[in-house]
Amino acid sequence: MSDLWPRIEPLLAKVEKPARYIGMERGSRQPAWAPSKVAWLLIYPDTYEIGLPNQGLQILYEILNERPDALAERAYAPWTDLATELRARRIPLFSVDTHRPAGDFDLLAFNLSAELVFTNVLEMVDLAGVPVRNEDRRPEHPIVLAGGHSAFNPEPLADYVDAFVIGEGEEVVAEITEVIGAWKRGGRADREAVLHDLATIPGVYVPAMYEVTYDGPRIVAVEARHADVPARVDKRTVADLDEWPYPKQQLVPLMEVVHDRLNVEVFRGCTRGCRFCQAGMITRPVRERSEESVRTMVADGLRRTGYDEVALTSLSTADFSGIEGVVGSIVRDQQGTGGVAVALPSLRVDAFTVGIAAQIQQVRRTGLTFAPEAGSWRLRQVINKLVLEEDLYGAVESAYASGWRRMKLYFLTGLPTEVDSDTLGIAELARNCVEIGRRFDKSASVTVSVGGYVPKAHTPFQWFGQNGVAELQRKIDLLRSDLRPQRGSGAPRQRLSNQVQLKWHDPEATFAEGLCSRGDRRIGRVIERVWRDGGTFQEWSEHFSLQRWLDACAAEGLDPEWYVTRHRTRDEILPWDHIAAGLHKDFLWDDWQSALAEHGLPDCRWTPCYDCGVCTDYALEHVVASPFAPAGGSQGTGQAPAPDLDIAVRFLGRKPKPTAATSDDAVPTTTEVPA
Amino acid sequence: VKGGSAFPVRLRFTKHGKVRFTSHRDVARAFERAFRIEALPLEFSEGFSPHPKVSFGLALSTGYESDDEYLDVSLVEALDLEALPERLTAALPHGIAVIGAVELCDRAPALQEAVTAVAWSLTVGRDDDVALDADEFSAAVEQALACDEITVRRSRKGRQVDDDVRGAIRRCVVTGTAPDGTVALDLDVSTRPRSAKPLDVLAAIAQVTPAIGPIEERRVLRLRQWIERDGARLSPLDADARPRVAEARAS
């Protein structure tokens, strides 16, 4: 039976939020099945409301369904209530589009956006009726595939995922479809052979094709088993975003989801060079969409979806060359229609940014969030988030002057070289922001959100020993006691503290994330044990328990501290060294040393190339419409964050190649801030 | 809808199939998006966060279907009401269909206040999958109807309260059985002073005759809603519609 709906329907009356499982979104497809087509089940291993908005999944859903030789449907992790019912009735995991059993598909393709979803991957493979370990799968089982940012260290899932896609999926899904199509036409005989074929596609990593050898805890070698399998798997990158204007028909969910609005990606990649940021490191170079193309996607998207909010997404949207033009046109076009709110996630911290935000939020004012990330200028130089205090205060003043009354500040704690005065700087910055706000409104308040820092693969901090649970907790407690609200105290400092609301991430969850982020193949068995012990939905505090992870490590004879809190050495073979984001290991090491020396590094989109490796190795270049750094604040000018800043760069004579009319010689070294 | 709207409109719609698993709030949001997709001339509230002036009728529980739902929307100018149902249906999720649209008269009372009676069609079964005997169930219904008062504990706005359910039941008749051990039931209830949900009525029946066993609703369909005024029973689409002469003038 290919339609499970009659068996699922009676269960939906018994579960929370049944609309998670019905599909039927505007923009969704009910693809026609044919034996000749390669059937993809695109899976987000978390709840529907977290997974539905994922743009990567939606882009591939459209691209695959446009192909005559492929079809794609979607699945999300059933919440524990439904998972229990499905198991009790022996009903498998299903697609939400046509309620087909997952086992009918040729590929189960997981999106890995975060490491704590790894146990959900095993849960969903198991619910699909497929053996969770690669070695136990037979030719009749689907190929288990995974991609997304967390696939850049695939090793923890190496024994559970048949093949990983490293990098962007737009182009590689075609090549995978062809290999799987040929395998199907050949009668799906030999699983080993099709995996071997997949391993020869650039950007596809098949862990079974690689042999890892250890000497005690250390990795000695990772070697390809066949001559035609690359020793190193390089990421895939789309050169020109304008060739891929997807999603064209963004899905409009029936129930409320996160980011419930039209999302238009204005550029991909970021070269701000924040050293903690894996996304910025692995998605280089910067590739802007043209202003015209963004306008078209916004106008068409709003008309088609009926949304009254659009987010211009990227890793730092105020850096988009066309930001003012696009914002102006949205505000103009939507006059008299009740207004469209524009969300700018990932705002740069400066007054220019607030000016743009004020322009677009004349109609509906939402919250404003800034991410200075660290509490002192010294530490912000270490992490290369070059926000001066003046920038932050200028942004905050400008925000209050434009009518905002509440704002959120994001910080990380547990960063390399962080000492208590850096941590306490977070509280001081927050109080100073409240003080600025009180000049406009006595009840001005600031929410401070503090996350524990997890070092990630392919970043300059990949060698750094993460802070342990106790140390992170101590830092959070330090902040809590410094900001503890007290009634009746009239001291000005106390009054300011009272208007700061502190939120923090659970240090125990941060520890487990660290274990999965930089784990090697041996951590796979730990993940499996946690899953078998019932540890699904580890991103959800009500389901998370660190004890499960510690017990699993103990049972496997692995020391979790060795994986999480240990500083790595330069000569060490890292578990992901055979996976390449294009960044030379020497560049990352040099940048790590610059961090320790408190040296910043400018943004190579507007300054000379320092040869991180990506553009040169992959013959790519930045696609930016403007050769000028945006105005306003040190982050805006980019080149001169502080007078005393010593910029450690290697000049190779290569300058950014703007797509706009300006010649290379005209690239300015400084940009004047307009009055 | 308060007075003052240039073109107040009442819509009648149905909700069937998979979409029944969406909530009342989900349906409200789907309509607001459909209005924007069709670029209706919506009237907006004043203030920092303007919202289209839309007011929904009685909430339909998640999982229930309906032949007869209503909402009122304020527009700033007249439009072709003949074409409106088809336009909106195309912009709404599959399973929600707009089947009627009228212009309202000034100061028409809000739906939530005006609707006084609701008719339901239910399929019920035992929650332990034991077949439900239609005759025994009919007898239990009769027993319940013979009571003057049946106090049932239910949660209202997050609080546990004891309410009389019997007072709201106007009619309750077993209409048939199915081979899968379920029983079909027609139910008419008052919405004032206090309504009773189908689930409350089943709880009342089981409370009076515990031997009937644990009963659960399987399929619930709202058949009709009524506005009763001066002894007459009116459809919400007719009760407060602007007379056609006025409608002709407006369009």
Side-chain angles (χ1 to χ4, degrees), chain A residues 453-455 464-468 472 510-511 514-515 518 564-566:
Chain A
Y453 173 61
V454 179
F464 173 63
Q466 183 177 328
N467 281 189
L472 279 181
T510 303
F511 189 89
L515 187 64
R518 290 190 298 169
V564 179
T565 61
R566 181 180 58 95

Side-chain angles (χ1 to χ4, degrees), chain A residues 9 255-256 260 306 363, chain B residues 20 25 29 33 36 48:
Chain A
E9 187 178 23
M255 67 178 285
E256 253 178 303
D260 200 357
V363 184
Chain B
R20 71 195 174 96
R25 216 175 117 76
R29 292 173 337 109
R33 286 194 300 261
R36 282 190 296 265
F48 246 162

Side-chain angles (χ1 to χ4, degrees), chain A residues 347-375:
Chain A
L347 278 183
R348 211 173 56 215
V349 187
D350 57 44
F352 168 79
T353 301
V354 175
I356 288 179
Q359 187 191 351
I360 59 189
Q361 304 213 1
Q362 287 159 357
V363 184
R364 290 199 298 139
R365 185 142 293 170
T366 52
L368 203 53
T369 302
F370 295 115
E373 308 288 3

Side-chain angles (χ1 to χ4, degrees), chain A residues 30 52 119 277 289 406 415 564 566 576 602 624 628 669:
Chain A
Q30 304 222 315
L52 182 283
T119 59
C277 178
R289 225 183 263 291
R406 289 181 55 227
L415 290 164
V564 179
R566 181 180 58 95
W576 52 89
V624 284
F628 299 98
T669 51

